[in-house]
Amino acid sequence: MAPGFQNLPEDDGYDSEEEIDFSDLQEQYEVRLEQGLDGFVVIDGLPVVPESTKDKLVKFLIKKLNTVGHTKEEAVFMPVTESKMTEGYAFVEFDTPAQAIAATKTLNGTAFDKKHTLAVNKLTDIERYGREGRIDEEYHEPHIEPFQEKDHLRWWLADVNGRDQIAMYRNEEVGVFWNRKKESPQEIVNRNHWTEIFIQWSPLGTYLATMHSRGAQLWGGPSWSRQTRFPHPNCNLIDFSPTEQYVTTWSFKPIEVAEDDPVLSVEEDGKNYIIWDVATGKPLRSFATHDTAGPTVDENGLPVKKKVPWPAFKWSSDDKYVARMLEGQSISVYELPKMNLLDKVTIKIDAVKDFEWAPALPQRDGVKTYEQLFCYWTPEIGSNPAKVGLMSIPSKEIVRTRNLFNVTDAKLHWQSQAAYICVKVDRHSKSKKSLATNLEIFRVKEKGVPVEVVDSIKDTVINFAWEPKGDRFVLITTAEVLMNTAVPPKTSVSFFCPEKVKGAGVGNFKHIRTIDKKNSNGIYWSPKGRFVVVATVRSQQSFELDFWDLDFEGEKPESDKDLTANLQLMATGDHYGVTDVDWDPTGRYVATSASMWKHSMENGYHIYDFKGELLREEHVDKFKQLAWRPRPPTLLSRDEQKQIRKNLREYSKDFEESDRIAEDTEKGAVVDERRRQLSEWLAWREREMEDLVAERVELGLPEDPEEELKALLNGHTNLDEDGEEEEKVVEEIVEEIIDETEEIMA
């Protein structure tokens, strides 16, 4: 008969009262709460209402919760006390764990109404944080650290001499220096292995960013202490928002998040981009890299290296929006700081190739409401022409479009004050054998956003740059096809400005002058406008530097009488192997540098003034990078700035006096050094004379060598024929200093 519960044999060795240790089995087969509760959240901070209005509160809550996921009334449990009142919290189940995570990230800390703020947490966090031993059952008053005054992050602006700072990365060292006119820069801080890849200033100069394998770090203050850390593993690039509130980091390798990571969560695992809040150092949202369009292999079957567009996330001028383009399909605009998709939908733009935000708050004629603008363009598809459009955000209204034909490529160039946007359009001929460039200039601030076309350019434009805070521009053209050859093609540099008109308007853009047979390929405007450097960079054959003034105060040619510019070449220079040209933020100095990242010959930097005078050159072994520290916008009003310009000659006298005193101080230091060396020599001579006298005494010789000489002369006196002493003739040479002048050589 088969054994059953009724006829089990008795086991004399079993004691039912004996305690059995099965902790190892319990640990092995324990059912973990997280496996069934990942879709639950706990919502605190709800209003306390009577049971009669509980259903109304639940419906209102569900309406808010369904903005980030999906739930229903049956999935909401809101406890009620014996007094028939809710307790101010609820348990909610979402359809998926991902929706629960989205609810905690999006709704936590948001306002439920005017008096209540939601606190949303995952239910599994109770097990995560509340395990035995992690929470003390006895209450202890929290320890509050004593107040410590933080560094002033804009301390360098208080320099009495108004100097600017330069950061230099050479060999394995990073240093920050005060720039001095002709003397070597004055070191402020210098650290070894401060960065692993490169350095980068924030747009307003508050922070210095350094890159490391474990993430990016921001440094600042007079003590150069670490202000914030962004733990993005294998971070390759960093981009700041215009007002420094947010940062985007990117890594080629997808992020792998450890289970015990204190900052990153499962949400960031497998992503490439993270957008951070600078103030808190916490991630706002993460994204994966889009697959770029195009073939994946070349003609030989080898994989094609695709360029990652950078920056992939582009910021509005006031940091209220950030947008990302999916090439050929759409543009996604996110609202900050919550990083919610604007209106919960992407903006569909078929075949979109590129877009750019306006760099300043637009001021369109007749528009009194808040708006941001971005410009985009799409290529020709079939019989549909290429198109350029201006879109207003947040309304998503297209305020201006323009159709283009025979378009090979287009580039978007905003003027710094968002008064214009120039669309550089490369057009091909009907045979597609030749290229020419048109400039389509949208006058954004004028009624209806009229478009002016500059079609007098017969060659291909390879570089274009607006004057900062101005309405003039420079472009470089070439008639040859650009190839990766050692000898660069011959180029032409053209200058344009508006013509004079009556009133406050801006006239049509006119050509000023073209300089032919150049090798120039770079345009570098002073941040204050007026002055521009046209250079040949990263070339193996030419290293030209041309310094131009567009408001020359000399005589104006008759042909330029009706133009708003007076062009003059101030100076020319050259810097062998120059790879980069950078203006300081005040427009007083220009730095040209030769980086070892491009070549290893004569690395270092030159400093010029705005007129093109070479002030200093320094060859630095393994020189990598030079970066001027930016300055925030001035706090002075326009009237105060006009008053300063009006009295600039008076202020100049004070600065010239300060320069003279500094120069005299430096000369005095040289004189003092020479006097010190002379006194040391005289002291040495005196000691040597004393040693010589002591040595003569030991030898039994007179202390004074002149007395010994006289004695010798007296012992060998010559007599004449009459026995009288022969007359002696003694010559004495006397040196007299008539005049003495001292000249200090630089």
Side-chain angles (χ1 to χ4, degrees):
M1 184 175 67
F5 180 80
Q6 293 80 6
N7 56 7
L8 284 174
E10 291 186 6
D11 187 355
D12 296 335
Y14 175 75
D15 184 2
S16 60
E17 298 298 322
E18 184 178 347
E19 187 173 333
I20 301 174
D21 182 16
F22 52 90
S23 59
D24 56 334
L25 296 175
Q26 182 180 6
E27 183 178 355
Q28 183 177 355
Y29 296 102
E30 181 183 13
V31 177
R32 307 189 188 280
L33 289 174
E34 291 91 333
Q35 293 179 356
L37 302 177
D38 278 341
F40 286 85
V41 297
V42 183
I43 302 177
D44 203 354
L46 294 171
V48 177
V49 299
E51 188 177 13
S52 58
T53 59
K54 171 186 169 183
D55 293 341
K56 185 178 179 180
L57 176 62
V58 170
K59 289 181 180 179
F60 186 78
L61 176 62
I62 288 175
K63 185 178 179 181
K64 196 171 188 71
L65 296 176
N66 283 340
T67 60
V68 295
H70 181 266
T71 186
K72 49 191 176 181
E73 291 186 35
E74 294 79 8
V76 178
F77 174 67
M78 191 175 293
V80 178
T81 64
E82 294 180 357
S83 58
K84 305 298 182 182
M85 299 289 290
T86 63
E87 296 192 19
Y89 65 90
F91 299 92
V92 180
E93 182 182 8
F94 283 94
D95 289 350
T96 65
Q99 294 176 6
I101 294 173
T104 59
K105 293 180 73 69
T106 306
L107 299 179
N108 186 44
T110 60
F112 186 73
D113 56 27
K114 292 182 178 179
K115 297 182 179 180
H116 298 85
T117 300
L118 297 180
V120 184
N121 294 281
K122 292 175 62 179
L123 185 60
T124 53
D125 286 347
I126 297 174
E127 177 68 14
R128 179 181 175 188
Y129 298 113
R131 289 175 184 168
E132 186 176 354
R134 290 195 176 185
I135 298 177
D136 196 339
E137 295 183 1
E138 183 180 351
Y139 172 75
H140 297 281
E141 187 174 343
H143 174 68
I144 301 176
E145 295 290 340
F147 172 75
Q148 293 183 353
E149 187 173 352
K150 293 186 177 181
D151 288 344
H152 195 306
L153 296 181
R154 292 186 174 175
W155 61 278
W156 86 98
L157 298 175
D159 181 58
V160 293
N161 296 318
R163 296 174 296 177
D164 282 294
Q165 291 185 359
I166 315 174
M168 285 189 274
Y169 181 22
R170 62 266 190 263
N171 202 353
E172 298 300 328
E173 294 182 345
V174 174
V176 181
F177 304 85
W178 288 114
N179 178 53
R180 298 191 290 183
K181 191 171 182 180
K182 293 185 178 181
E183 295 74 32
S184 297
Q186 179 183 344
E187 182 180 297
I188 305 170
V189 62
N190 190 71
R191 294 177 182 173
N192 200 24
H193 300 289
W194 201 355
T195 187
E196 296 177 13
I197 307 177
F198 61 88
I199 55 174
Q200 181 174 326
W201 290 107
S202 58
L204 304 180
T206 308
Y207 306 104
L208 177 67
T210 58
M211 309 299 292
H212 310 270
S213 60
R214 296 186 178 181
Q217 300 184 35
L218 303 187
W219 308 81
S223 63
W224 295 97
S225 58
R226 186 173 67 189
Q227 304 296 319
T228 313
R229 177 175 175 264
F230 306 117
H232 183 151
N234 303 305
C235 181
N236 299 113
L237 295 172
I238 186 171
D239 180 52
F240 287 87
S241 65
T243 64
E244 303 180 342
Q245 295 184 67
Y246 310 103
V247 157
T248 304
T249 56
W250 173 81
S251 62
F252 175 77
K253 184 179 179 181
I255 300 170
E256 296 179 3
V257 181
E259 292 184 4
D260 58 347
D261 194 299
V263 179
L264 303 181
S265 64
V266 180
E267 183 72 17
E268 281 75 49
D269 195 68
K271 306 296 179 59
N272 303 87
Y273 297 93
I274 300 180
I275 295 180
W276 306 81
D277 187 324
V278 172
T280 63
K282 295 182 178 179
L284 299 178
R285 191 162 177 176
S286 55
F287 300 83
T289 300
H290 285 322
D291 290 333
T292 55
T296 57
V297 295
D298 58 16
E299 298 175 354
N300 301 322
L302 299 175
V304 176
K305 292 183 178 180
K306 296 183 179 180
K307 291 185 177 180
V308 176
W310 186 259
F313 290 84
K314 299 180 180 180
W315 308 90
S316 64
S317 62
D318 57 1
D319 283 9
K320 286 190 175 181
Y321 302 100
V322 64
R324 183 190 192 189
M325 180 186 72
L326 178 56
E327 186 174 347
Q329 298 183 31
S330 62
I331 297 175
S332 301
V333 180
Y334 300 89
E335 298 177 277
L336 290 155
K338 291 298 181 181
M339 285 300 295
N340 297 327
L341 192 62
L342 182 63
D343 298 334
K344 303 176 187 177
V345 293
T346 61
I347 303 171
K348 301 292 184 182
I349 305 176
D350 291 337
V352 62
K353 292 289 289 184
D354 194 13
F355 80 102
E356 293 290 344
W357 286 100
L361 195 66
Q363 298 176 352
R364 287 195 297 132
D365 183 70
V367 178
K368 297 182 180 180
T369 58
Y370 168 82
E371 72 168 353
Q372 288 286 350
L373 289 178
F374 70 73
C375 182
Y376 66 90
W377 81 278
T378 60
E380 294 178 88
I381 301 177
S383 59
N384 296 325
K387 183 183 293 184
V388 176
L390 276 176
M391 182 175 288
S392 176
I393 298 296
S395 66
K396 298 183 180 178
E397 175 191 1
I398 298 178
V399 300
R400 187 70 162 89
T401 60
R402 184 168 178 83
N403 294 335
L404 306 170
F405 299 91
N406 300 328
V407 176
T408 299
D409 193 15
K411 291 289 185 293
L412 310 174
H413 300 275
W414 278 98
Q415 186 256 6
S416 62
Q417 296 173 314
Y420 313 96
I421 181 168
C422 175
V423 183
K424 182 181 75 69
V425 184
D426 294 334
R427 300 178 185 270
H428 55 258
S429 61
K430 291 183 178 180
S431 63
K432 298 185 178 181
K433 293 182 178 180
S434 61
L435 289 176
T437 300
N438 284 4
L439 303 180
E440 309 273 341
I441 301 176
F442 292 69
R443 294 174 175 259
V444 178
K445 293 186 177 181
E446 298 181 17
K447 187 175 181 179
V449 192
V451 179
E452 180 181 347
V453 181
V454 178
D455 56 2
S456 59
I457 306 168
K458 304 303 180 184
D459 297 328
T460 304
V461 175
I462 61 172
N463 204 337
F464 175 97
W466 283 103
E467 176 186 22
K469 302 178 183 179
D471 46 24
R472 299 174 289 200
F473 59 85
V474 181
L475 53 86
I476 299 175
T477 62
T478 180
E480 305 175 38
V481 179
L482 288 177
M483 302 291 289
N484 293 325
T485 57
V487 181
K490 289 297 180 182
T491 59
S492 300
V493 182
S494 299
F495 299 83
F496 288 79
C497 74
E499 60 183 352
K500 292 180 180 178
V501 293
K502 294 182 179 180
V506 179
N508 293 332
F509 292 96
K510 297 295 182 181
H511 174 250
I512 306 173
R513 194 184 309 169
T514 295
I515 313 300
D516 295 317
K517 297 181 180 179
K518 302 291 289 184
N519 293 311
S520 306
N521 55 16
I523 305 168
Y524 305 93
W525 279 98
S526 163
K528 301 298 183 182
R530 178 175 175 177
F531 303 105
V532 62
V533 176
V534 182
T536 307
V537 297
R538 303 178 186 180
S539 170
Q540 299 178 11
Q541 301 293 325
S542 180
F543 320 102
E544 301 171 349
L545 299 170
D546 294 336
F547 294 80
W548 294 90
D549 181 3
L550 273 76
D551 287 326
F552 183 62
E553 297 178 357
E555 185 177 354
K556 196 171 187 179
E558 188 65 30
S559 59
D560 296 344
K561 293 293 184 182
D562 296 330
L563 301 179
T564 58
N566 186 16
L567 185 64
Q568 177 67 36
L569 177 63
M570 298 184 293
T572 60
D574 64 86
H575 179 180
Y576 179 79
V578 60
T579 58
D580 301 279
V581 179
D582 300 281
W583 282 85
D584 84 313
T586 64
R588 294 176 292 179
Y589 304 103
V590 184
T592 61
S593 55
S595 172
M596 68 165 288
W597 287 335
K598 299 299 179 181
H599 60 79
S600 58
M601 296 181 293
E602 297 190 23
N603 301 129
Y605 69 94
H606 291 185
I607 300 290
Y608 299 83
D609 67 4
F610 68 92
K611 303 186 301 296
E613 179 186 353
L614 179 61
L615 303 177
R616 185 173 73 251
E617 61 177 294
E618 186 174 350
H619 298 287
V620 182
D621 187 38
K622 296 183 179 180
F623 184 86
K624 298 177 181 177
Q625 187 181 2
L626 181 147
W628 292 97
R629 187 170 196 171
R631 286 176 174 264
T634 178
L635 300 177
L636 299 176
S637 65
R638 290 187 176 180
D639 292 338
E640 289 172 328
Q641 293 181 55
K642 287 181 180 179
Q643 189 67 21
I644 290 174
R645 293 191 188 99
K646 183 178 179 181
N647 300 322
L648 192 58
R649 293 187 182 276
E650 296 297 324
Y651 295 125
S652 297
K653 293 179 181 178
D654 296 334
F655 289 118
E656 289 170 1
E657 179 67 16
S658 299
D659 291 342
R660 187 189 63 77
I661 292 173
E663 186 176 352
D664 290 345
T665 302
E666 291 162 4
K667 289 181 179 179
V670 173
V671 173
D672 291 342
E673 176 64 17
R674 290 183 177 177
R675 286 175 177 169
R676 184 189 64 80
Q677 293 176 356
L678 178 60
S679 62
E680 287 182 356
W681 183 84
L682 292 174
W684 172 84
R685 183 177 181 276
E686 185 176 352
R687 290 195 302 271
E688 292 296 316
M689 290 297 296
E690 291 175 354
D691 293 342
L692 180 60
V693 170
E695 186 177 350
R696 293 181 64 84
V697 170
E698 289 180 2
L699 296 174
L701 300 175
E703 294 184 6
D704 189 354
E706 292 183 0
E707 294 181 1
E708 181 183 6
L709 180 60
K710 289 179 180 178
L712 290 173
L713 290 174
N714 292 333
H716 297 82
T717 302
N718 294 326
L719 299 176
D720 58 11
E721 295 177 352
D722 300 330
E724 296 181 355
E725 184 177 346
E726 193 177 41
E727 185 179 356
K728 294 186 294 184
V729 177
V730 179
E731 279 188 30
E732 184 178 5
I733 300 175
V734 179
E735 292 184 359
E736 182 180 359
I737 298 175
I738 299 174
D739 188 18
E740 182 179 3
T741 60
E742 184 177 5
E743 183 178 358
I744 299 174
M745 303 299 293

